[in-house]
Amino acid sequence: MKSFHLAGLIATSGILLATASQANLIPLISRTNIQESPKKNPASALPAPGINQQQPIMSNNDRPVDPFNADPTPNSNILIADILASQKAISIFAGFTRDISSLTSRLNSDSTNSTLLAPVNSAISALPRKPWEDPQEYSALGSNAYEGQEGSERAEANLRRFVEAHIVGQSPWAEGEKLKTLGGREVWWERRKDAMIVMPGEVEVEKVAKKVGNGEVWVLKEVLDYARK
Ligand SMILES: *[C@@H]1O[C@H](CO)[C@@H](O)[C@H](O)[C@H]1NC(C)=O
C-alpha cells in the first residue's frame, strides 16, 4: 500500500468500521433507539421530558408498496445523516461522507434532499485501488503522489469526486428520470423484472435501505463511474 498522509480519513473510517462491527454486539433495542432518534431541530419537535423519545410511525395506506423498500413509511423527523452509522452494509461509504464537511451538512439538512447511491462495502473493498488514488496521478507524480500536504489535498479531492459520483441531489427520484449526480454525470434508473438498475452503468440496486425526511439511501452492488471527466 502506498504511504500517504490521510491520517484523519483513515482514523475516521477505521473508527466507523470498528463501530459497525461492534454494533453486532449491541442489543437490537439500542440500535433502534439510534435509528429513531429525532433530529436536533426544531426544538419544538422534541418530546417533553419523560415522554418516550421514539416518534410514532404514521401509517399511510395510500402509499404503494415498494418491494425494494424495507421501510415504506418515510419518517420526516429522521435525516440521512442520522441513520448512516446504523447501515452496516455501507459503513465504508458512510465514513467517506463524514470526511467531507459540505456533504455532512447536506445529509444533515432538512431543506435539501438527496438520494444516496451507496456502494456496498465489498464493492469498495474490491476496487483495484483506493477511491482516493488516481492512476493518472501515479503516472504523473510517481509512487509518492499522495504524500505531503499536496498529496493529501489530491487524495481529498479524489475522495470527494468518488462520493459525489454516488449522490443524486434530489429525492424522490422517479423511474426513468434523468438527473445529474453531484459530480455532474447524468444518471437514471429503470426496473428490470424484480430489479432496479442504475443507468447508464447498469449497476443493480441491492435494496432501498431507508427513506427518511431528506431523502433515501440505496445500497448498490457495484460502484458507479467516478473517473475524472
Ligand atoms: C424531500 O423528501 C421528503 C421525504 O420523502 C418529501 O416529503 C419532500 O417532498 C421532498 N422535498 C422535495 C423538495 O423534493
Side-chain angles (χ1 to χ4, degrees):
M1 183 176 153
K2 311 285 180 195
S3 73
F4 54 90
H5 296 261
L6 263 185
L9 186 149
I10 293 167
T12 314
S13 305
I15 287 165
L16 245 138
L17 288 170
T19 307
S21 47
Q22 281 158 9
N24 286 321
L25 307 172
I26 300 173
L28 182 65
I29 184 130
S30 61
R31 263 189 286 154
T32 305
N33 285 341
I34 292 166
Q35 288 184 12
E36 302 285 321
S37 71
K39 66 183 180 185
K40 299 105 212 157
N41 295 309
S44 59
L46 292 172
I51 294 183
N52 188 333
Q53 293 272 315
Q54 293 200 12
Q55 301 292 309
I57 308 280
M58 308 304 284
S59 69
N60 182 348
N61 295 328
D62 298 337
R63 201 175 290 280
V65 174
D66 180 343
F68 288 93
N69 181 11
D71 178 10
T73 312
N75 186 329
S76 59
N77 289 324
I78 299 176
L79 302 174
I80 294 175
D82 298 327
I83 52 103
L84 273 184
S86 67
Q87 303 298 306
K88 285 186 288 177
I90 57 159
S91 59
I92 298 178
F93 185 81
F96 292 163
T97 68
R98 290 182 179 207
D99 286 315
I100 302 168
S101 59
S102 60
L103 293 179
T104 306
S105 325
R106 178 187 188 96
L107 302 179
N108 208 17
S109 155
D110 56 9
S111 56
T112 312
N113 284 4
S114 309
T115 303
L116 229 65
L117 304 172
V120 70
N121 290 341
S122 56
I124 296 180
S125 309
L127 289 173
R129 65 191 80 83
K130 303 294 182 204
W132 57 85
E133 294 178 327
D134 181 336
Q136 289 176 18
E137 287 172 341
Y138 276 135
S139 25
L141 303 161
S143 61
N144 55 0
Y146 299 107
E147 287 179 10
Q149 177 66 26
E150 286 181 15
S152 178
E153 283 166 12
R154 269 191 287 278
E156 279 180 39
N158 293 344
L159 186 70
R160 170 184 287 274
R161 196 174 65 241
F162 177 83
V163 175
E164 288 182 344
H166 293 90
I167 300 179
V168 170
Q170 181 183 309
S171 177
W173 180 20
E175 178 175 6
E177 188 179 6
K178 293 192 171 175
L179 296 176
K180 285 206 162 129
T181 63
L182 298 188
R185 272 204 171 76
E186 187 176 74
V187 287
W188 67 98
W189 68 271
E190 53 192 49
R191 275 187 207 282
R192 289 193 197 158
K193 297 197 173 142
D194 290 334
M196 291 165 70
I197 311 287
V198 177
M199 303 294 289
E202 303 204 41
V203 172
E204 190 175 339
V205 177
E206 187 168 294
K207 63 170 179 175
V208 174
K210 274 285 178 186
K211 297 192 177 187
V212 292
N214 63 348
E216 301 183 8
V217 177
W218 298 13
V219 178
L220 302 195
K221 292 187 173 178
E222 305 291 340
V223 305
L224 298 178
D225 183 5
Y226 63 100
R228 203 183 290 277
K229 287 214 287 186

